[in-house]
Amino acid sequence: GAVVSQHPSRVICKSGTSVKIECRSLDFQATTMFWYRQFPKQSLMLMATSNEGSKATYEQGVEKDKFLINHASLTLSTLTVTSAHPEDSSFYICSARDRVTLRADFGAGTRLSVL
Amino acid sequence: KQEVTQIPAALSVPEGENLVLNCSFTDSAIYNLQWFRQDPGKGLTSLLLIQSSQREQTSGRLNASLDKSSGRSTLYIAASQPGDSATYLCAVTTDKLIFGTGTRLQVFP
């Protein structure tokens, strides 16, 4: 079964609203979680690296005030897309990395559509 | 900056062929390398994980090799089947997990 749970799987929202996406590691501790964005027919683009108990590290070009990341525990990280606009519509995928093996497992993804 | 490239970008083959997918990376200081599969509109499924100290891993019809010094990994798929059709992604782990550009595979009956 899935070892990383991502919720919700799909969101349709109006422009200007905020959307929260949760990522949970189910049977291992993940000191590090990664958030990716994927455009159609493209590979995964790393947005930020989330470390438990500290601030996230954002990749160049990713607005930290736009994409708020919280990693409050060893099993949960959240990504909040604030004041979403149509250009934020995309497929967002989280990954949790096992602190011992460094193996990364992925959530099933969240498809965000902003109207 | 780590860059990960996959060749070919797309591949279409008849059922039964043995396939080789290639992944190259520019910085050899990695902890491990993973191969994933992604079906259209879906998340990722981990196929194989090779630690930096290992040279290959096998799972069923899949075999992945790693040559860290040359910055290369290959994924070998034996006796391909239509169900293998998907996008295959490699990713290297340093302090981050960086993905390759992907290979879109289609296996037709």
Side-chain angles (χ1 to χ4, degrees):
Chain A
V3 295
V4 176
S5 172
Q6 186 172 341
H7 177 81
S9 59
R10 184 173 179 96
V11 178
I12 301 174
C13 68
K14 292 182 179 179
S15 184
T17 59
S18 293
V19 175
K20 180 185 281 190
I21 303 170
E22 290 190 351
C23 181
R24 294 180 184 271
S25 58
L26 299 181
D27 59 1
F28 64 95
Q29 293 183 331
T31 51
T32 303
M33 290 187 177
F34 303 98
W35 287 94
Y36 295 86
R37 183 172 181 174
Q38 187 177 34
F39 293 101
K41 297 186 177 180
Q42 294 189 21
S43 189
L44 278 71
M45 180 192 78
L46 180 63
M47 299 174 65
T49 302
S50 166
N51 293 298
E52 185 265 337
S54 64
K55 291 182 179 181
T57 302
Y58 290 81
E59 295 299 301
Q60 189 173 9
V62 179
E63 300 175 57
K64 63 178 70 174
D65 294 330
K66 174 75 172 177
F67 300 99
L68 299 179
I69 291 173
N70 182 277
H71 193 157
S73 75
L74 286 172
T75 59
L76 174 64
S77 177
T78 61
L79 167 67
T80 301
V81 183
T82 62
S83 186
H85 291 284
E87 58 265 29
D88 298 324
S89 299
S90 191
F91 193 53
Y92 293 88
I93 304 178
C94 74
S95 170
R97 187 164 71 185
D98 187 290
R99 65 189 304 186
V100 175
T101 67
L102 297 186
R103 170 185 159 128
D105 285 289
F106 284 77
T110 298
R111 186 162 302 284
L112 171 63
S113 299
V114 185
L115 306 177
Chain B
K1 180 186 174 184
Q2 178 75 269
E3 292 184 3
V4 185
T5 307
Q6 290 182 243
I7 296 173
L11 188 60
S12 182
V13 299
E15 181 176 12
E17 281 204 5
N18 300 323
L19 308 172
V20 176
L21 307 183
N22 297 290
C23 172
S24 61
F25 46 96
T26 55
D27 184 352
S28 62
I30 64 171
Y31 296 129
N32 61 46
L33 183 145
Q34 282 183 256
W35 282 93
F36 297 89
R37 167 186 174 141
Q38 186 177 32
D39 293 288
K42 304 291 185 182
L44 278 72
T45 301
S46 181
L47 298 174
L48 290 165
L49 166 69
I50 311 177
Q51 301 290 357
S52 62
S53 58
Q54 298 174 324
R55 295 198 57 91
E56 67 176 338
Q57 283 288 325
T58 298
S59 176
R61 294 183 293 107
L62 305 179
N63 175 277
S65 67
L66 174 64
D67 184 343
K68 204 173 74 161
S69 61
S70 67
R72 294 181 183 176
S73 175
T74 60
L75 177 67
Y76 178 81
I77 303 175
S80 59
Q81 302 171 357
D84 295 331
S85 299
T87 296
Y88 290 81
L89 296 158
C90 69
V92 297
T93 297
T94 53
D95 57 336
K96 306 175 186 180
L97 183 64
I98 303 298
F99 278 85
T101 46
T103 294
R104 211 159 35 251
L105 172 65
Q106 182 180 11
V107 181
F108 53 89

